[in-house]
């Protein structure tokens, strides 16, 4: 439709009482799809105080979460952690066996994680990247560094398929190193799961 002498597309938002708001196509980034399972959203009336109350309540909840996060980070920084040693010759020789060329972003993530591990504070880092970014290799480098310092490593994944894929990938990558890899998932029998847990508790698994 035309508004202010300019014709363009609009999205129509329907409110309670058949009231409407026209959102120009240039402002569609300000509209989000309702996500709430099977529940139907409660429609507001334009100018209603309910929306203001919801926003106020949400702001308060966000402020409380932010306060808790600041407190958590402060406690984390004050807490002593384990400082791993710097990567040695064995680690660097193994690292050079990586069959691909690392991207600059991947190299930076690896070095950042290794630097975190050498600080005497609990590490707290999130590595984000698209499929194919090389996040698994970043995790493998950190795991190998920890194992070479005689620490055990647990890698948590969201699916059984990924657990098996990671078991195979980690096992392949640590060939030639004194590191033992195994996995726990519902793909393993109860007896196998008990065996893995027992070996882990005895320090026979890295």
């Amino acid at each position: 439709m035309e508004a202010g002498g300019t014709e363009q597309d609009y999205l129509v938002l329907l409110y309670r009482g058949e009231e409407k708001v026209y959102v120009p196509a240039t402002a569609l980034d300000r509209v989000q799809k309702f996500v709430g399972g099977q529940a139907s959203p409660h429609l507001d009336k334009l100018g209603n105080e309910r929306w203001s109350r919801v926003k106020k309540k949400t702001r308060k909840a966000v402020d409380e979460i932010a306060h808790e996060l600041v407190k958590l980070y402060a406690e984390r920084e004050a807490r002593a952690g384990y400082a791993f040693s710097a990567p040695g010759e064995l680690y660097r020789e193994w690292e050079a066996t990586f069959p691909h060329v690392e991207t600059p972003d991947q190299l930076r993530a690896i070095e950042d994680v290794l630097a975190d591990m050498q600080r005497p504070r609990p590490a707290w880092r999130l590595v984000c990247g698209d499929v194919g970014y090389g996040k698994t290799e970043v995790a493998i480098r950190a795991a190998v560094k920890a194992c070479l310092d005689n620490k055990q490593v647990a890698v948590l994944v969201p699916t059984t398929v990924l657990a098996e894929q990671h078991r195979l990938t980690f096992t392949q990558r640590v060939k030639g190193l004194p590191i033992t890899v195994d996995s726990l998932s519902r793909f393993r029998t109860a007896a196998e799961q008990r065996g893995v847990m027992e070996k882990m508790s005895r320090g026979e698994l890295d």
Side-chain angles (χ1 to χ4, degrees):
M1 67 182 192
E2 187 177 320
T6 304
E7 186 177 289
Q8 62 174 318
D9 292 329
Y10 287 83
L11 184 70
V12 183
L13 301 183
L14 303 179
Y15 284 76
R16 191 156 51 90
E18 298 185 357
E19 295 175 319
K20 299 176 182 177
V21 169
Y22 293 87
V23 182
T26 53
L28 289 187
D29 61 310
R30 302 186 66 180
V31 179
Q32 294 182 8
K33 182 179 179 180
F34 172 76
V35 180
Q38 299 298 317
S40 297
H42 175 84
L43 293 183
D44 281 321
K45 187 174 176 61
L46 281 176
N48 195 328
E49 280 297 310
R50 180 183 173 277
W51 176 238
S52 296
R53 289 196 301 271
V54 169
K55 286 197 293 184
K56 186 177 179 181
K57 186 177 178 182
T58 303
R59 281 199 189 98
K60 183 181 177 185
V62 169
D63 285 343
E64 288 174 358
I65 291 171
H67 179 76
E68 287 300 315
L69 284 175
V70 169
K71 182 181 174 186
L72 173 67
Y73 293 150
E75 289 174 353
R76 185 181 293 275
E77 279 300 308
R79 191 179 305 156
Y82 180 82
F84 289 88
S85 64
E89 188 177 341
L90 177 59
Y91 176 88
R92 293 303 184 189
E93 286 177 0
W94 164 79
E95 188 179 47
T97 65
F98 186 50
H100 308 287
V101 177
E102 298 94 336
T103 66
D105 286 343
Q106 189 181 27
L107 278 174
R108 187 167 69 249
I110 290 167
E111 292 306 318
D112 285 347
V113 169
L114 291 176
D116 283 348
M117 294 174 70
Q118 293 170 65
R119 294 178 67 230
R121 294 284 179 271
W124 184 254
R125 180 174 294 274
L126 175 67
V127 177
C128 286
D130 293 332
V131 173
Y133 170 88
K135 299 182 295 296
T136 301
E137 180 63 18
V138 176
I140 291 173
R141 303 267 179 115
V144 166
K145 183 70 207 72
C147 291
L148 292 178
D149 274 23
N150 298 313
K151 296 293 183 183
Q152 287 176 300
V153 176
V155 179
L156 308 181
V157 296
T159 68
T160 50
V161 171
L162 199 56
E164 182 62 13
Q165 287 177 343
H166 274 31
R167 183 185 69 80
L168 296 172
T169 302
F170 272 67
T171 301
Q172 180 63 33
R173 280 292 283 125
V174 302
K175 269 186 179 176
L177 291 176
I179 294 175
T180 307
V181 178
D182 212 331
S183 69
L184 271 175
S185 76
R186 61 184 174 83
F187 284 166
R188 313 297 294 273
T189 65
E192 288 173 332
Q193 290 182 35
R194 280 195 303 275
V196 169
M197 294 295 288
E198 287 169 4
K199 284 193 289 184
M200 187 166 62
S201 66
R202 292 196 299 266
E204 296 171 11
L205 282 182
D206 298 297

